[in-house]
Amino acid sequence: MNDKDLLARVKEDKVKFVSLQFSDVTGAIKSVDMPIAGLEGALEDGVWFDGSSVEGFANIEGSDMLLRLDPDSYALLPWTAVELRRARIFCDILGADEKPFEGDPRGTLKRQLAKLDERGWMYNVGPEPEFILFKGRKEGSIHPKPHDEGAYFEFSSFEESAMVRNDMMETLRIMGLEVEVGHHEVALGQHEIDFRFANALKTADNVFTLKSAVKAVAAQHGLTASFMPKPVFGINGSGMHCHQSLFDKKSGANLFFDPNDEAHLSKTAYSFIAGQLTHARALAAVVAPTVNSYKRLVPGYEAPVYIGWAQKNRSALIRIPRYTEGRDKAVRAELRFPDPSSNPYLAFTVMLAAALDGIEKKLEAPKPLNNINLYHLDAKERKKLGVKELPGSLAEALNELDKDEVVKAALGETMYDAFTAAKWNEWDEYRLRVTDYEIERYLETA
């Protein structure tokens, strides 16, 4: 969609305000609203703003930044009142010199994808973000209750949570997402809405669209939707498994497919897998980027903990879904340890960088861990198989990131410094906080 098309679309949709949106380094969406009368000028000249108060952006001495609108990202916000109808446009961030700002997460992903463009390839991602619906919290309580007690794929003709989920799916359809399925997940109140895969940039935009829409629709129903990785002790956490593939732009061929291989995987696919396994411990800091992420990445709740790959085996870090004859375009690698608290622009950036490192170095994937439940192996058995573990905490993950030059280079110095500064600050806040567990455990026994 060009500028002229966008202006016509906005008029047709009777939009009154446009929300110009972008992401900070942690993945929080920032927004600047403007009356529709200013849109034409904004498309031509951009919109200046003060970036000094945005996490990871410019300092006070050099805070002037410019939003450059991306017309292709236009979408209505269906939950807004008709008389005050709003739409959304994602923006790229430029510095005071009007050059791309190196601390812009969306721009960081674009730079990584440009390396792929040189090969004539496309990186497709199909994420599966999970979330939990909670009832409204009672005054003075910080522990909300899940909205329902449904189980995996549970069906009920009159279940309220199913109707809420369907409302979310329809909202996403209006916003331009090709929703494929929605269903109840394993944990209480837990749901998943899957949309069609697309190139990494479009998919990252779609993840932000889904999160904002799900939260808005939930609020309309008096509920809270949380993408927190592990909001409730003792039940499954919420992940964002990412199905990945590489396509040749010119021929449209899936570069992962080889009809002569036993697993139907090409050498490119094997090196892709090897690259992500090699850099997995560093990737963790970006794809599982919160203190809470490491409460999910523990044995016993279906989340991956051990670094390996397999066909069908869901305890492995990377899973190759079952191949169906004639569907060579569907051959893909599912990375299972990202969670929805991650910034998708940065997550996809480092996932691709790790994979490309494997391809460029022609790394060989280790033997698949088929028919092995990694959770049932002890430390000695895993060591014998050469299976390493993911970091056990955000601090450990950040230390691994600091040692990984490939992943750091993909982020770039500006982004790396901003991201790690924010995350070390989060770790320090966490380690100094006195938790409910400590009070229950030590108050009367110490």
Side-chain angles (χ1 to χ4, degrees):
M1 183 171 353
N2 59 32
D3 292 359
K4 185 178 179 180
D5 294 334
L6 176 59
L7 292 169
R9 177 73 178 277
V10 165
K11 186 176 181 180
E12 179 185 338
D13 290 342
K14 298 180 180 179
V15 171
K16 299 295 193 301
F17 296 91
V18 177
S19 178
L20 308 180
Q21 297 186 350
F22 57 96
S23 161
D24 72 7
V25 295
T26 66
I29 281 290
K30 303 297 180 180
S31 182
V32 176
D33 285 356
M34 67 182 305
I36 202 64
L39 179 58
E40 186 171 1
L43 286 167
E44 184 175 344
D45 302 323
V47 175
W48 290 97
F49 74 104
D50 179 2
S52 62
S53 297
V54 179
E55 184 81 69
F57 283 20
N59 56 33
I60 294 175
E61 292 79 13
S63 60
D64 289 339
M65 311 197 84
L66 183 66
L67 296 177
R68 182 68 70 195
L69 286 62
D70 180 354
D72 282 336
S73 67
Y74 169 84
L76 277 175
L77 301 181
W79 56 85
T80 56
V82 174
E83 64 274 14
L84 296 173
R85 178 68 79 204
R86 294 168 66 205
R88 180 244 30 228
I89 299 175
F90 286 125
C91 301
D92 295 313
I93 301 171
L94 311 182
D97 57 2
E98 299 193 26
K99 294 180 180 179
F101 172 50
E102 292 187 357
D104 174 19
R106 198 170 192 260
T108 300
L109 177 56
K110 281 187 169 184
R111 287 192 295 275
Q112 188 64 37
L113 291 173
K115 297 179 181 179
L116 205 61
D117 286 339
E118 295 173 1
R119 295 172 175 261
W121 295 357
M122 178 184 295
Y123 177 45
N124 288 327
V125 185
E128 298 175 340
E130 297 170 334
F131 59 93
I132 295 181
L133 293 177
F134 290 100
K135 299 176 182 178
R137 289 184 290 184
K138 294 181 179 180
E139 188 175 348
S141 171
I142 63 170
H143 298 292
K145 292 185 178 181
H147 179 229
D148 63 69
E149 296 185 0
Y152 188 62
F153 270 34
E154 185 159 306
F155 170 78
S156 172
S157 300
F158 302 102
E159 183 192 356
E160 184 183 353
S161 63
M163 291 187 283
V164 173
R165 187 175 64 240
N166 289 343
D167 192 0
M168 293 171 176
M169 293 167 70
E170 176 61 13
T171 297
L172 291 168
R173 184 195 66 78
I174 294 170
M175 295 184 75
L177 270 68
E178 295 183 58
V179 176
E180 294 185 328
V181 295
H183 61 86
H184 201 288
E185 262 293 345
V186 175
L188 303 179
Q190 188 178 46
H191 301 263
E192 178 178 309
I193 296 175
D194 299 335
F195 53 89
R196 182 171 174 77
F197 72 88
N199 69 77
L201 183 64
K202 178 66 174 177
T203 298
D205 288 345
N206 285 343
V207 170
F208 278 120
T209 299
L210 182 141
K211 291 178 73 172
S212 61
V214 164
K215 289 180 178 182
V217 173
Q220 288 185 322
H221 289 270
L223 303 173
T224 296
S226 176
F227 290 88
M228 183 177 175
K230 188 78 168 184
V232 181
F233 171 72
I235 64 175
N236 284 29
S238 294
M240 188 175 72
H241 303 161
C242 292
H243 295 258
Q244 312 164 91
S245 57
L246 293 176
F247 276 69
D248 184 276
K249 286 186 175 182
K250 191 173 183 179
S251 68
N254 183 355
L255 298 174
F256 276 13
F257 178 68
D258 183 347
N260 300 315
D261 180 72
E262 182 180 359
H264 300 98
L265 294 174
S266 66
K267 291 182 179 179
T268 297
Y270 282 117
S271 292
F272 182 105
I273 291 167
Q276 291 193 334
L277 294 179
T278 298
H279 297 283
R281 285 178 59 81
L283 293 183
V286 184
V287 305
T290 68
V291 164
N292 184 253
S293 297
Y294 298 87
K295 307 295 177 70
R296 167 184 170 255
L297 296 174
V298 296
Y301 297 96
E302 297 189 5
V305 179
Y306 306 111
I307 300 172
W309 75 282
Q311 295 169 281
K312 307 174 187 178
N313 187 348
R314 293 179 184 271
S315 67
L317 195 73
I318 296 178
R319 183 181 75 95
I320 306 302
R322 184 184 184 90
Y323 170 70
T324 302
E325 190 69 35
R327 296 192 62 195
D328 53 281
K329 292 186 182 298
V331 174
R332 60 201 187 274
E334 179 190 12
L335 189 67
R336 296 176 58 80
F337 74 123
D339 71 52
S341 72
S342 64
N343 184 327
Y345 298 125
L346 299 186
F348 298 164
T349 294
V350 297
M351 287 158 54
L352 177 57
L356 283 179
D357 186 57
I359 292 170
E360 289 168 359
K361 293 177 179 175
K362 297 182 179 180
L363 298 181
E364 294 186 9
K367 290 183 179 180
L369 301 169
N370 295 330
N371 304 315
I372 300 175
N373 190 326
L374 297 171
Y375 301 134
H376 294 169
L377 302 181
D378 60 29
K380 287 184 178 180
E381 290 171 321
R382 291 194 299 273
K383 185 176 181 180
K384 186 176 181 180
L385 290 172
V387 176
K388 297 181 180 180
E389 296 183 31
L390 290 174
S393 69
L394 178 59
E396 187 179 348
L398 289 169
N399 283 326
E400 289 294 326
L401 175 59
D402 186 57
K403 295 184 291 186
D404 195 309
E405 296 303 324
V406 169
V407 179
K408 288 170 66 176
L411 293 173
E413 185 178 356
T414 300
M415 177 58 72
Y416 173 77
D417 289 345
F419 178 80
T420 54
K423 289 300 161 181
W424 278 119
N425 183 62
E426 178 182 335
W427 175 256
D428 285 340
E429 288 182 352
Y430 167 71
R431 70 183 182 84
L432 295 174
R433 191 69 59 90
V434 178
T435 64
D436 288 353
Y437 169 82
E438 291 166 283
I439 296 297
E440 293 173 4
R441 181 75 170 82
Y442 304 118
L443 185 66
E444 295 183 9
T445 61

mmCIF file with all atom_site columns, all heavy atoms in Angstrom, residues 136-157:
data_model
loop_
_atom_site.group_PDB
_atom_site.id
_atom_site.type_symbol
_atom_site.label_atom_id
_atom_site.label_alt_id
_atom_site.label_comp_id
_atom_site.label_asym_id
_atom_site.label_entity_id
_atom_site.label_seq_id
_atom_site.pdbx_PDB_ins_code
_atom_site.Cartn_x
_atom_site.Cartn_y
_atom_site.Cartn_z
_atom_site.occupancy
_atom_site.B_iso_or_equiv
_atom_site.pdbx_formal_charge
_atom_site.auth_seq_id
_atom_site.auth_comp_id
_atom_site.auth_asym_id
_atom_site.auth_atom_id
_atom_site.pdbx_PDB_model_num
ATOM 1   N N   . GLY A 1 136 ? -10.992 -10.796 36.999 1.00 0.00 ? 136 GLY A N   1
ATOM 2   C CA  . GLY A 1 136 ? -10.583 -9.555  37.642 1.00 0.00 ? 136 GLY A CA  1
ATOM 3   C C   . GLY A 1 136 ? -10.068 -9.804  39.045 1.00 0.00 ? 136 GLY A C   1
ATOM 4   O O   . GLY A 1 136 ? -10.596 -10.642 39.782 1.00 0.00 ? 136 GLY A O   1
ATOM 5   N N   . ARG A 1 137 ? -9.016  -9.090  39.431 1.00 0.00 ? 137 ARG A N   1
ATOM 6   C CA  . ARG A 1 137 ? -8.412  -9.293  40.750 1.00 0.00 ? 137 ARG A CA  1
ATOM 7   C C   . ARG A 1 137 ? -9.201  -8.559  41.823 1.00 0.00 ? 137 ARG A C   1
ATOM 8   O O   . ARG A 1 137 ? -9.689  -7.452  41.614 1.00 0.00 ? 137 ARG A O   1
ATOM 9   C CB  . ARG A 1 137 ? -6.964  -8.802  40.752 1.00 0.00 ? 137 ARG A CB  1
ATOM 10  C CG  . ARG A 1 137 ? -6.045  -9.675  39.955 1.00 0.00 ? 137 ARG A CG  1
ATOM 11  C CD  . ARG A 1 137 ? -4.612  -9.213  40.060 1.00 0.00 ? 137 ARG A CD  1
ATOM 12  N NE  . ARG A 1 137 ? -4.390  -7.955  39.358 1.00 0.00 ? 137 ARG A NE  1
ATOM 13  C CZ  . ARG A 1 137 ? -3.202  -7.381  39.225 1.00 0.00 ? 137 ARG A CZ  1
ATOM 14  N NH1 . ARG A 1 137 ? -2.144  -7.947  39.768 1.00 0.00 ? 137 ARG A NH1 1
ATOM 15  N NH2 . ARG A 1 137 ? -3.069  -6.257  38.570 1.00 0.00 ? 137 ARG A NH2 1
ATOM 16  N N   . LYS A 1 138 ? -9.308  -9.196  42.992 1.00 0.00 ? 138 LYS A N   1
ATOM 17  C CA  . LYS A 1 138 ? -9.935  -8.523  44.128 1.00 0.00 ? 138 LYS A CA  1
ATOM 18  C C   . LYS A 1 138 ? -8.995  -7.455  44.669 1.00 0.00 ? 138 LYS A C   1
ATOM 19  O O   . LYS A 1 138 ? -7.778  -7.579  44.577 1.00 0.00 ? 138 LYS A O   1
ATOM 20  C CB  . LYS A 1 138 ? -10.259 -9.540  45.224 1.00 0.00 ? 138 LYS A CB  1
ATOM 21  C CG  . LYS A 1 138 ? -11.318 -10.562 44.833 1.00 0.00 ? 138 LYS A CG  1
ATOM 22  C CD  . LYS A 1 138 ? -11.609 -11.511 45.980 1.00 0.00 ? 138 LYS A CD  1
ATOM 23  C CE  . LYS A 1 138 ? -12.681 -12.523 45.588 1.00 0.00 ? 138 LYS A CE  1
ATOM 24  N NZ  . LYS A 1 138 ? -12.965 -13.464 46.706 1.00 0.00 ? 138 LYS A NZ  1
ATOM 25  N N   . GLU A 1 139 ? -9.570  -6.426  45.230 1.00 0.00 ? 139 GLU A N   1
ATOM 26  C CA  . GLU A 1 139 ? -8.769  -5.324  45.755 1.00 0.00 ? 139 GLU A CA  1
ATOM 27  C C   . GLU A 1 139 ? -7.783  -5.828  46.805 1.00 0.00 ? 139 GLU A C   1
ATOM 28  O O   . GLU A 1 139 ? -8.147  -6.563  47.723 1.00 0.00 ? 139 GLU A O   1
ATOM 29  C CB  . GLU A 1 139 ? -9.674  -4.250  46.358 1.00 0.00 ? 139 GLU A CB  1
ATOM 30  C CG  . GLU A 1 139 ? -8.938  -2.981  46.758 1.00 0.00 ? 139 GLU A CG  1
ATOM 31  C CD  . GLU A 1 139 ? -9.872  -1.888  47.232 1.00 0.00 ? 139 GLU A CD  1
ATOM 32  O OE1 . GLU A 1 139 ? -11.096 -2.028  47.050 1.00 0.00 ? 139 GLU A OE1 1
ATOM 33  O OE2 . GLU A 1 139 ? -9.375  -0.898  47.787 1.00 0.00 ? 139 GLU A OE2 1
ATOM 34  N N   . GLY A 1 140 ? -6.524  -5.456  46.657 1.00 0.00 ? 140 GLY A N   1
ATOM 35  C CA  . GLY A 1 140 ? -5.488  -5.864  47.606 1.00 0.00 ? 140 GLY A CA  1
ATOM 36  C C   . GLY A 1 140 ? -4.819  -7.173  47.260 1.00 0.00 ? 140 GLY A C   1
ATOM 37  O O   . GLY A 1 140 ? -3.848  -7.562  47.902 1.00 0.00 ? 140 GLY A O   1
ATOM 38  N N   . SER A 1 141 ? -5.312  -7.874  46.213 1.00 0.00 ? 141 SER A N   1
ATOM 39  C CA  . SER A 1 141 ? -4.720  -9.156  45.831 1.00 0.00 ? 141 SER A CA  1
ATOM 40  C C   . SER A 1 141 ? -3.894  -8.998  44.566 1.00 0.00 ? 141 SER A C   1
ATOM 41  O O   . SER A 1 141 ? -4.281  -8.281  43.652 1.00 0.00 ? 141 SER A O   1
ATOM 42  C CB  . SER A 1 141 ? -5.815  -10.199 45.583 1.00 0.00 ? 141 SER A CB  1
ATOM 43  O OG  . SER A 1 141 ? -5.265  -11.375 45.025 1.00 0.00 ? 141 SER A OG  1
ATOM 44  N N   . ILE A 1 142 ? -2.731  -9.657  44.526 1.00 0.00 ? 142 ILE A N   1
ATOM 45  C CA  . ILE A 1 142 ? -1.924  -9.634  43.308 1.00 0.00 ? 142 ILE A CA  1
ATOM 46  C C   . ILE A 1 142 ? -1.923  -10.997 42.619 1.00 0.00 ? 142 ILE A C   1
ATOM 47  O O   . ILE A 1 142 ? -1.229  -11.196 41.627 1.00 0.00 ? 142 ILE A O   1
ATOM 48  C CB  . ILE A 1 142 ? -0.463  -9.223  43.607 1.00 0.00 ? 142 ILE A CB  1
ATOM 49  C CG1 . ILE A 1 142 ? 0.210   -10.243 44.533 1.00 0.00 ? 142 ILE A CG1 1
ATOM 50  C CG2 . ILE A 1 142 ? -0.386  -7.826  44.161 1.00 0.00 ? 142 ILE A CG2 1
ATOM 51  C CD1 . ILE A 1 142 ? 1.708   -10.032 44.658 1.00 0.00 ? 142 ILE A CD1 1
ATOM 52  N N   . HIS A 1 143 ? -2.729  -11.932 43.134 1.00 0.00 ? 143 HIS A N   1
ATOM 53  C CA  . HIS A 1 143 ? -2.765  -13.276 42.564 1.00 0.00 ? 143 HIS A CA  1
ATOM 54  C C   . HIS A 1 143 ? -4.137  -13.523 41.929 1.00 0.00 ? 143 HIS A C   1
ATOM 55  O O   . HIS A 1 143 ? -5.076  -13.955 42.598 1.00 0.00 ? 143 HIS A O   1
ATOM 56  C CB  . HIS A 1 143 ? -2.482  -14.325 43.639 1.00 0.00 ? 143 HIS A CB  1
ATOM 57  C CG  . HIS A 1 143 ? -1.121  -14.202 44.253 1.00 0.00 ? 143 HIS A CG  1
ATOM 58  N ND1 . HIS A 1 143 ? 0.036   -14.456 43.551 1.00 0.00 ? 143 HIS A ND1 1
ATOM 59  C CD2 . HIS A 1 143 ? -0.722  -13.826 45.488 1.00 0.00 ? 143 HIS A CD2 1
ATOM 60  C CE1 . HIS A 1 143 ? 1.085   -14.265 44.326 1.00 0.00 ? 143 HIS A CE1 1
ATOM 61  N NE2 . HIS A 1 143 ? 0.649   -13.868 45.507 1.00 0.00 ? 143 HIS A NE2 1
ATOM 62  N N   . PRO A 1 144 ? -4.270  -13.259 40.624 1.00 0.00 ? 144 PRO A N   1
ATOM 63  C CA  . PRO A 1 144 ? -5.550  -13.463 39.950 1.00 0.00 ? 144 PRO A CA  1
ATOM 64  C C   . PRO A 1 144 ? -5.845  -14.943 39.738 1.00 0.00 ? 144 PRO A C   1
ATOM 65  O O   . PRO A 1 144 ? -4.940  -15.784 39.776 1.00 0.00 ? 144 PRO A O   1
ATOM 66  C CB  . PRO A 1 144 ? -5.360  -12.745 38.617 1.00 0.00 ? 144 PRO A CB  1
ATOM 67  C CG  . PRO A 1 144 ? -3.887  -12.861 38.358 1.00 0.00 ? 144 PRO A CG  1
ATOM 68  C CD  . PRO A 1 144 ? -3.230  -12.775 39.712 1.00 0.00 ? 144 PRO A CD  1
ATOM 69  N N   . LYS A 1 145 ? -7.110  -15.267 39.475 1.00 0.00 ? 145 LYS A N   1
ATOM 70  C CA  . LYS A 1 145 ? -7.516  -16.645 39.234 1.00 0.00 ? 145 LYS A CA  1
ATOM 71  C C   . LYS A 1 145 ? -7.763  -16.861 37.742 1.00 0.00 ? 145 LYS A C   1
ATOM 72  O O   . LYS A 1 145 ? -8.353  -16.011 37.078 1.00 0.00 ? 145 LYS A O   1
ATOM 73  C CB  . LYS A 1 145 ? -8.783  -16.969 40.024 1.00 0.00 ? 145 LYS A CB  1
ATOM 74  C CG  . LYS A 1 145 ? -8.582  -17.009 41.528 1.00 0.00 ? 145 LYS A CG  1
ATOM 75  C CD  . LYS A 1 145 ? -9.850  -17.449 42.238 1.00 0.00 ? 145 LYS A CD  1
ATOM 76  C CE  . LYS A 1 145 ? -9.631  -17.548 43.754 1.00 0.00 ? 145 LYS A CE  1
ATOM 77  N NZ  . LYS A 1 145 ? -10.859 -18.001 44.446 1.00 0.00 ? 145 LYS A NZ  1
ATOM 78  N N   . PRO A 1 146 ? -7.324  -18.016 37.205 1.00 0.00 ? 146 PRO A N   1
ATOM 79  C CA  . PRO A 1 146 ? -7.624  -18.308 35.802 1.00 0.00 ? 146 PRO A CA  1
ATOM 80  C C   . PRO A 1 146 ? -9.117  -18.249 35.526 1.00 0.00 ? 146 PRO A C   1
ATOM 81  O O   . PRO A 1 146 ? -9.941  -18.592 36.385 1.00 0.00 ? 146 PRO A O   1
ATOM 82  C CB  . PRO A 1 146 ? -7.074  -19.731 35.614 1.00 0.00 ? 146 PRO A CB  1
ATOM 83  C CG  . PRO A 1 146 ? -5.980  -19.833 36.628 1.00 0.00 ? 146 PRO A CG  1
ATOM 84  C CD  . PRO A 1 146 ? -6.479  -19.061 37.820 1.00 0.00 ? 146 PRO A CD  1
ATOM 85  N N   . HIS A 1 147 ? -9.459  -17.845 34.329 1.00 0.00 ? 147 HIS A N   1
ATOM 86  C CA  . HIS A 1 147 ? -10.855 -17.604 33.970 1.00 0.00 ? 147 HIS A CA  1
ATOM 87  C C   . HIS A 1 147 ? -11.678 -18.879 33.884 1.00 0.00 ? 147 HIS A C   1
ATOM 88  O O   . HIS A 1 147 ? -12.892 -18.865 34.076 1.00 0.00 ? 147 HIS A O   1
ATOM 89  C CB  . HIS A 1 147 ? -10.887 -16.866 32.615 1.00 0.00 ? 147 HIS A CB  1
ATOM 90  C CG  . HIS A 1 147 ? -12.252 -16.581 32.101 1.00 0.00 ? 147 HIS A CG  1
ATOM 91  N ND1 . HIS A 1 147 ? -12.649 -16.865 30.816 1.00 0.00 ? 147 HIS A ND1 1
ATOM 92  C CD2 . HIS A 1 147 ? -13.326 -16.027 32.701 1.00 0.00 ? 147 HIS A CD2 1
ATOM 93  C CE1 . HIS A 1 147 ? -13.906 -16.499 30.642 1.00 0.00 ? 147 HIS A CE1 1
ATOM 94  N NE2 . HIS A 1 147 ? -14.332 -15.980 31.761 1.00 0.00 ? 147 HIS A NE2 1
ATOM 95  N N   . ASP A 1 148 ? -11.041 -20.009 33.545 1.00 0.00 ? 148 ASP A N   1
ATOM 96  C CA  . ASP A 1 148 ? -11.791 -21.254 33.380 1.00 0.00 ? 148 ASP A CA  1
ATOM 97  C C   . ASP A 1 148 ? -10.953 -22.426 33.855 1.00 0.00 ? 148 ASP A C   1
ATOM 98  O O   . ASP A 1 148 ? -9.785  -22.271 34.185 1.00 0.00 ? 148 ASP A O   1
ATOM 99  C CB  . ASP A 1 148 ? -12.195 -21.454 31.915 1.00 0.00 ? 148 ASP A CB  1
ATOM 100 C CG  . ASP A 1 148 ? -10.985 -21.610 30.994 1.00 0.00 ? 148 ASP A CG  1
ATOM 101 O OD1 . ASP A 1 148 ? -10.301 -22.638 31.092 1.00 0.00 ? 148 ASP A OD1 1
ATOM 102 O OD2 . ASP A 1 148 ? -10.725 -20.695 30.189 1.00 0.00 ? 148 ASP A OD2 1
ATOM 103 N N   . GLU A 1 149 ? -11.566 -23.595 33.861 1.00 0.00 ? 149 GLU A N   1
ATOM 104 C CA  . GLU A 1 149 ? -10.878 -24.816 34.256 1.00 0.00 ? 149 GLU A CA  1
ATOM 105 C C   . GLU A 1 149 ? -10.854 -25.813 33.103 1.00 0.00 ? 149 GLU A C   1
ATOM 106 O O   . GLU A 1 149 ? -10.798 -27.018 33.304 1.00 0.00 ? 149 GLU A O   1
ATOM 107 C CB  . GLU A 1 149 ? -11.546 -25.432 35.488 1.00 0.00 ? 149 GLU A CB  1
ATOM 108 C CG  . GLU A 1 149 ? -11.458 -24.527 36.717 1.00 0.00 ? 149 GLU A CG  1
ATOM 109 C CD  . GLU A 1 149 ? -12.014 -25.168 37.965 1.00 0.00 ? 149 GLU A CD  1
ATOM 110 O OE1 . GLU A 1 149 ? -12.477 -26.319 37.877 1.00 0.00 ? 149 GLU A OE1 1
ATOM 111 O OE2 . GLU A 1 149 ? -11.973 -24.513 39.027 1.00 0.00 ? 149 GLU A OE2 1
ATOM 112 N N   . GLY A 1 150 ? -10.883 -25.284 31.888 1.00 0.00 ? 150 GLY A N   1
ATOM 113 C CA  . GLY A 1 150 ? -10.866 -26.136 30.705 1.00 0.00 ? 150 GLY A CA  1
ATOM 114 C C   . GLY A 1 150 ? -9.540  -26.846 30.529 1.00 0.00 ? 150 GLY A C   1
ATOM 115 O O   . GLY A 1 150 ? -8.524  -26.459 31.097 1.00 0.00 ? 150 GLY A O   1
ATOM 116 N N   . ALA A 1 151 ? -9.555  -27.886 29.687 1.00 0.00 ? 151 ALA A N   1
ATOM 117 C CA  . ALA A 1 151 ? -8.354  -28.669 29.406 1.00 0.00 ? 151 ALA A CA  1
ATOM 118 C C   . ALA A 1 151 ? -7.986  -28.503 27.928 1.00 0.00 ? 151 ALA A C   1
ATOM 119 O O   . ALA A 1 151 ? -8.666  -27.813 27.169 1.00 0.00 ? 151 ALA A O   1
ATOM 120 C CB  . ALA A 1 151 ? -8.605  -30.136 29.735 1.00 0.00 ? 151 ALA A CB  1
ATOM 121 N N   . TYR A 1 152 ? -6.911  -29.169 27.529 1.00 0.00 ? 152 TYR A N   1
ATOM 122 C CA  . TYR A 1 152 ? -6.392  -29.050 26.167 1.00 0.00 ? 152 TYR A CA  1
ATOM 123 C C   . TYR A 1 152 ? -7.452  -29.420 25.135 1.00 0.00 ? 152 TYR A C   1
ATOM 124 O O   . TYR A 1 152 ? -8.070  -30.484 25.213 1.00 0.00 ? 152 TYR A O   1
ATOM 125 C CB  . TYR A 1 152 ? -5.179  -29.959 26.026 1.00 0.00 ? 152 TYR A CB  1
ATOM 126 C CG  . TYR A 1 152 ? -4.419  -29.783 24.727 1.00 0.00 ? 152 TYR A CG  1
ATOM 127 C CD1 . TYR A 1 152 ? -3.813  -28.571 24.409 1.00 0.00 ? 152 TYR A CD1 1
ATOM 128 C CD2 . TYR A 1 152 ? -4.296  -30.836 23.830 1.00 0.00 ? 152 TYR A CD2 1
ATOM 129 C CE1 . TYR A 1 152 ? -3.099  -28.403 23.230 1.00 0.00 ? 152 TYR A CE1 1
ATOM 130 C CE2 . TYR A 1 152 ? -3.586  -30.689 22.649 1.00 0.00 ? 152 TYR A CE2 1
ATOM 131 C CZ  . TYR A 1 152 ? -2.993  -29.469 22.358 1.00 0.00 ? 152 TYR A CZ  1
ATOM 132 O OH  . TYR A 1 152 ? -2.293  -29.311 21.191 1.00 0.00 ? 152 TYR A OH  1
ATOM 133 N N   . PHE A 1 153 ? -7.698  -28.515 24.180 1.00 0.00 ? 153 PHE A N   1
ATOM 134 C CA  . PHE A 1 153 ? -8.647  -28.711 23.082 1.00 0.00 ? 153 PHE A CA  1
ATOM 135 C C   . PHE A 1 153 ? -10.080 -28.928 23.585 1.00 0.00 ? 153 PHE A C   1
ATOM 136 O O   . PHE A 1 153 ? -10.913 -29.479 22.862 1.00 0.00 ? 153 PHE A O   1
ATOM 137 C CB  . PHE A 1 153 ? -8.226  -29.914 22.221 1.00 0.00 ? 153 PHE A CB  1
ATOM 138 C CG  . PHE A 1 153 ? -7.320  -29.547 21.081 1.00 0.00 ? 153 PHE A CG  1
ATOM 139 C CD1 . PHE A 1 153 ? -6.398  -28.525 21.198 1.00 0.00 ? 153 PHE A CD1 1
ATOM 140 C CD2 . PHE A 1 153 ? -7.367  -30.249 19.881 1.00 0.00 ? 153 PHE A CD2 1
ATOM 141 C CE1 . PHE A 1 153 ? -5.547  -28.194 20.145 1.00 0.00 ? 153 PHE A CE1 1
ATOM 142 C CE2 . PHE A 1 153 ? -6.522  -29.921 18.824 1.00 0.00 ? 153 PHE A CE2 1
ATOM 143 C CZ  . PHE A 1 153 ? -5.616  -28.889 18.955 1.00 0.00 ? 153 PHE A CZ  1
ATOM 144 N N   . GLU A 1 154 ? -10.365 -28.521 24.798 1.00 0.00 ? 154 GLU A N   1
ATOM 145 C CA  . GLU A 1 154 ? -11.699 -28.779 25.343 1.00 0.00 ? 154 GLU A CA  1
ATOM 146 C C   . GLU A 1 154 ? -12.759 -28.023 24.559 1.00 0.00 ? 154 GLU A C   1
ATOM 147 O O   . GLU A 1 154 ? -12.572 -26.886 24.151 1.00 0.00 ? 154 GLU A O   1
ATOM 148 C CB  . GLU A 1 154 ? -11.764 -28.379 26.818 1.00 0.00 ? 154 GLU A CB  1
ATOM 149 C CG  . GLU A 1 154 ? -13.086 -28.726 27.474 1.00 0.00 ? 154 GLU A CG  1
ATOM 150 C CD  . GLU A 1 154 ? -12.975 -28.815 28.981 1.00 0.00 ? 154 GLU A CD  1
ATOM 151 O OE1 . GLU A 1 154 ? -12.115 -29.559 29.469 1.00 0.00 ? 154 GLU A OE1 1
ATOM 152 O OE2 . GLU A 1 154 ? -13.760 -28.134 29.659 1.00 0.00 ? 154 GLU A OE2 1
ATOM 153 N N   . PHE A 1 155 ? -13.915 -28.684 24.358 1.00 0.00 ? 155 PHE A N   1
ATOM 154 C CA  . PHE A 1 155 ? -15.031 -28.079 23.636 1.00 0.00 ? 155 PHE A CA  1
ATOM 155 C C   . PHE A 1 155 ? -16.231 -27.915 24.550 1.00 0.00 ? 155 PHE A C   1
ATOM 156 O O   . PHE A 1 155 ? -16.582 -28.803 25.308 1.00 0.00 ? 155 PHE A O   1
ATOM 157 C CB  . PHE A 1 155 ? -15.444 -28.944 22.443 1.00 0.00 ? 155 PHE A CB  1
ATOM 158 C CG  . PHE A 1 155 ? -16.746 -28.493 21.810 1.00 0.00 ? 155 PHE A CG  1
ATOM 159 C CD1 . PHE A 1 155 ? -16.762 -27.392 20.971 1.00 0.00 ? 155 PHE A CD1 1
ATOM 160 C CD2 . PHE A 1 155 ? -17.929 -29.156 22.087 1.00 0.00 ? 155 PHE A CD2 1
ATOM 161 C CE1 . PHE A 1 155 ? -17.951 -26.958 20.402 1.00 0.00 ? 155 PHE A CE1 1
ATOM 162 C CE2 . PHE A 1 155 ? -19.128 -28.733 21.527 1.00 0.00 ? 155 PHE A CE2 1
ATOM 163 C CZ  . PHE A 1 155 ? -19.138 -27.625 20.677 1.00 0.00 ? 155 PHE A CZ  1
ATOM 164 N N   . SER A 1 156 ? -16.874 -26.765 24.451 1.00 0.00 ? 156 SER A N   1
ATOM 165 C CA  . SER A 1 156 ? -18.133 -26.532 25.138 1.00 0.00 ? 156 SER A CA  1
ATOM 166 C C   . SER A 1 156 ? -18.928 -25.531 24.318 1.00 0.00 ? 156 SER A C   1
ATOM 167 O O   . SER A 1 156 ? -18.425 -24.471 23.953 1.00 0.00 ? 156 SER A O   1
ATOM 168 C CB  . SER A 1 156 ? -17.907 -25.983 26.547 1.00 0.00 ? 156 SER A CB  1
ATOM 169 O OG  . SER A 1 156 ? -19.149 -25.600 27.126 1.00 0.00 ? 156 SER A OG  1
ATOM 170 N N   . SER A 1 157 ? -20.167 -25.869 24.008 1.00 0.00 ? 157 SER A N   1
ATOM 171 C CA  . SER A 1 157 ? -20.981 -25.000 23.158 1.00 0.00 ? 157 SER A CA  1
ATOM 172 C C   . SER A 1 157 ? -21.228 -23.639 23.783 1.00 0.00 ? 157 SER A C   1
ATOM 173 O O   . SER A 1 157 ? -21.400 -22.643 23.083 1.00 0.00 ? 157 SER A O   1
ATOM 174 C CB  . SER A 1 157 ? -22.329 -25.685 22.875 1.00 0.00 ? 157 SER A CB  1
ATOM 175 O OG  . SER A 1 157 ? -22.146 -26.919 22.222 1.00 0.00 ? 157 SER A OG  1
#
